[in-house]
Amino acid sequence: MPPYTNLLRVLISSTLASLLLVPIGCGGGGGDGDGGNMRPPEPTPGSFPVSPPGNGPSGSSSAKVILRNGNAAGDGFVIGNIEDAALASDGSIAVIAAAENDEGRAILRRDADGTLRNIFGSGNAPANIDLTTLARLRMAPTGELAFRSGKGLDSDQLHVAPADEVRTIAGSSGAQAPDFRLLGNFRIVRGGRVAFTAGGGDCDAEPSGDSVRYLCTVALFVADEDRVTQIVHPEFLLNRRQANDAQIAMNEDGDLFFSVPARRTSPSVVRFENGRVEVILRNDQEIPELGNVNRIDIVDLDLDGRLLVELGLEPETEDDPVLDQLGFLDRARFVPFAREGVFEGDELVFGLRGLGLGGGQAMFQTTLLDTEADTSRACLRLGDRNDIIEILCEGEPFPAEELEVFSISGTRINSVGDVLFVTILGRQQGETRIIEETRATVRRADGEFVTIASSADSENLGIITDLTTVGFNDAGQALLIAERSRSSDRVLLLGESAE
């Protein structure tokens, strides 16, 4: 059976035909003064509202190589490979680097002036840390770091570095077994506040391809300075799930929300503030004129309190799919602006994925299904309660150019509303795709496209085979790892997109 059959059947139901903006019973005060119900923005039949494309890419790459294999820190540590990196507001960076002599990995800091320091490695890390497992580096705009070590169940540890001194907040100290046995998602914001999820209790191991999935009891934590607090509520009925099934949204002021895979009518979205847990939404809660909540994942939270969520409603019958809506959980109301199961011309919206908030808008990816050809393509968009802006789509020319977009990846948005992404570009020759370029681009909030790095710029950047975005700050600086000719030859690029 084609994957869209149930979706087409659902489309004829009056429930989807009458999706409205409605209030929901969550804490935090009333609405923002709009009053009444309103529909999410609808696409024009046969087309989709598109903002002016701007002036197209602005010339050659702005990025420069700032770190490469063979560079040395002040203590003599020599980089053998760059594994991960992160960027602060002032242009300083942090790096996970493999040692040239194969003695594990280290956490390095590079100041804006280029000074490189080893803050966590074979010379200054505790003996119980497996340095070969350092991974998942995160950096607050103000420079605080968080990163992980460990290989999974009962070996994971979470570390933070407010300055150059590293301390462990989960695993060997801080949060520990039985509630912490496996690290899930984590985020760090200015001031060094860290929120993280974990799996604990009795865990089940399930083979999954070449790896193992661990299903544990979900646990939620927040760390402020030297204190780690577990987020508990008497009505929690937390599923035994993978630890990263619980989601975190935290803004730079430290306002904090969690969504959890709850059971029955237990809390599914909670806010943690001043040591108190406030229930925002419950599993199976009815939203008037929409239906009952089947699932919800929070995506991001901005400084104005907009909470971006993916919400799935209980279908009318067991045979019908759960159709997701993307919108804002804003104070006491759910404000949808995109939904699955509607047609845009001849294509069906078959998937939605929220990516982040910036400049008052949500960045998201839409998957469009051609029901005749049974093919799909992705589009990168910005949306709010009033408008949808299309940035670019697979299968279409890059804005103001002739090269076709083959893929979109590495998407990031800053609080100003600038969007960073990586595209593979080329041309179609019969049934053959000819790849011409891999490019990292910033679409600025004013609509202008700026090229950060391009594989076509081999004179300045070398022969690039892959680009990975690892940092993007509010000044428009983009940090990328460029792979050159082979996976063991990586350089770190820093590019500018501001005028």
Side-chain angles (χ1 to χ4, degrees), residues 353 355 363 380 408-413 419-422 469:
R353 185 163 68 96
L355 299 171
M363 178 176 68
L380 184 62
I408 307 166
S409 63
T411 52
R412 292 173 180 257
I413 187 169
V419 173
L420 170 66
F421 56 91
V422 172
T469 63

Side-chain angles (χ1 to χ4, degrees), residues 26 58 75 114 177 204 255 313 439:
C26 69
S58 59
D75 68 341
D204 297 325
D255 301 322
L313 298 172
R439 183 192 298 171

Side-chain angles (χ1 to χ4, degrees), residues 342-417:
V342 298
F343 275 93
E344 296 180 9
D346 296 329
E347 295 178 301
L348 182 70
V349 177
F350 191 61
L352 291 171
R353 185 163 68 96
L355 299 171
L357 290 169
Q361 295 179 304
M363 178 176 68
F364 66 103
Q365 180 175 297
T366 301
T367 301
L368 300 175
L369 175 69
D370 185 327
T371 57
E372 295 295 328
D374 199 14
T375 59
S376 63
R377 63 193 182 104
C379 292
L380 184 62
R381 294 172 174 171
L382 294 170
D384 59 26
R385 67 187 66 192
N386 299 314
D387 194 18
I388 299 291
I389 296 172
E390 190 162 279
I391 298 176
L392 78 169
C393 287
E394 294 174 350
E396 296 182 3
F398 193 95
E401 295 191 35
E402 295 183 357
L403 290 179
E404 181 181 331
V405 177
F406 289 164
S407 69
I408 307 166
S409 63
T411 52
R412 292 173 180 257
I413 187 169
N414 62 20
S415 68
V416 179

Side-chain angles (χ1 to χ4, degrees), residues 63-68 71-74 79 82 84-97 106-120 137 139-143 145 163-164 473 477-480 491-496:
K64 308 295 182 185
V65 176
I66 61 169
L67 210 60
R68 67 181 77 215
N71 288 160
I79 297 175
I82 296 169
D84 197 3
L87 177 66
S89 293
D90 64 357
S92 62
I93 65 171
V95 180
I96 297 179
I107 305 294
L108 311 179
R109 278 191 187 270
R110 182 187 184 274
D111 297 332
D113 64 4
T115 302
L116 191 64
R117 303 189 306 283
N118 180 351
I119 68 168
F120 195 78
L137 182 63
M139 194 173 196
T142 42
L145 304 178
D164 285 357
N473 64 22
Q477 292 180 308
L479 188 66
L480 305 103
V491 296
L492 199 60
L493 306 178
L494 184 64
E496 309 280 347

Side-chain angles (χ1 to χ4, degrees), residues 250-481:
M250 183 166 56
N251 64 23
E252 294 303 329
D253 283 344
D255 301 322
L256 176 59
F257 291 77
F258 292 94
S259 62
V260 296
R263 294 185 289 122
R264 297 200 289 274
T265 58
S266 64
S268 57
V269 177
V270 298
R271 173 167 53 201
F272 183 73
E273 184 177 15
N274 297 324
R276 186 172 65 92
V277 180
E278 178 184 3
V279 176
I280 303 300
L281 199 64
R282 295 176 178 274
N283 188 50
D284 202 32
Q285 179 174 330
E286 181 181 0
I287 300 179
E289 300 183 54
L290 287 180
N292 285 23
V293 175
N294 177 277
R295 63 171 178 247
I296 184 167
D297 286 309
I298 58 179
V299 179
D300 200 7
L301 177 70
D302 67 15
L303 286 173
D304 292 324
R306 279 178 288 261
L307 184 63
L308 178 61
V309 302
E310 298 172 1
L311 176 69
L313 298 172
E314 195 70 35
E316 289 189 351
T317 72
E318 292 183 357
D319 294 331
D320 291 331
V322 177
L323 298 178
D324 282 344
Q325 300 183 59
L326 193 63
F328 298 111
L329 198 58
D330 191 356
R331 299 187 182 181
R333 298 191 305 169
F334 174 63
V335 186
F337 58 80
R339 63 181 186 266
E340 292 181 328
V342 298
F343 275 93
E344 296 180 9
D346 296 329
E347 295 178 301
L348 182 70
V349 177
F350 191 61
L352 291 171
R353 185 163 68 96
L355 299 171
L357 290 169
Q361 295 179 304
M363 178 176 68
F364 66 103
Q365 180 175 297
T366 301
T367 301
L368 300 175
L369 175 69
D370 185 327
T371 57
E372 295 295 328
D374 199 14
T375 59
S376 63
R377 63 193 182 104
C379 292
L380 184 62
R381 294 172 174 171
L382 294 170
D384 59 26
R385 67 187 66 192
N386 299 314
D387 194 18
I388 299 291
I389 296 172
E390 190 162 279
I391 298 176
L392 78 169
C393 287
E394 294 174 350
E396 296 182 3
F398 193 95
E401 295 191 35
E402 295 183 357
L403 290 179
E404 181 181 331
V405 177
F406 289 164
S407 69
I408 307 166
S409 63
T411 52
R412 292 173 180 257
I413 187 169
N414 62 20
S415 68
V416 179
D418 305 324
V419 173
L420 170 66
F421 56 91
V422 172
T423 48
I424 294 178
L425 306 172
R427 51 192 172 87
Q428 194 84 24
Q429 184 172 305
E431 296 183 357
T432 303
R433 285 184 169 183
I434 301 174
I435 295 175
E436 301 276 1
E437 183 183 356
T438 299
R439 183 192 298 171
T441 304
V442 168
R443 180 204 183 267
R444 292 178 9 183
D446 62 8
E448 182 179 357
F449 288 78
V450 179
T451 300
I452 300 298
S454 169
S455 61
D457 191 9
S458 58
E459 181 177 349
N460 295 316
L461 302 180
I463 306 299
I464 290 176
T465 58
D466 193 22
L467 289 169
T468 302
T469 63
V470 288
F472 190 39
N473 64 22
D474 290 347
Q477 292 180 308
L479 188 66
L480 305 103
I481 295 176

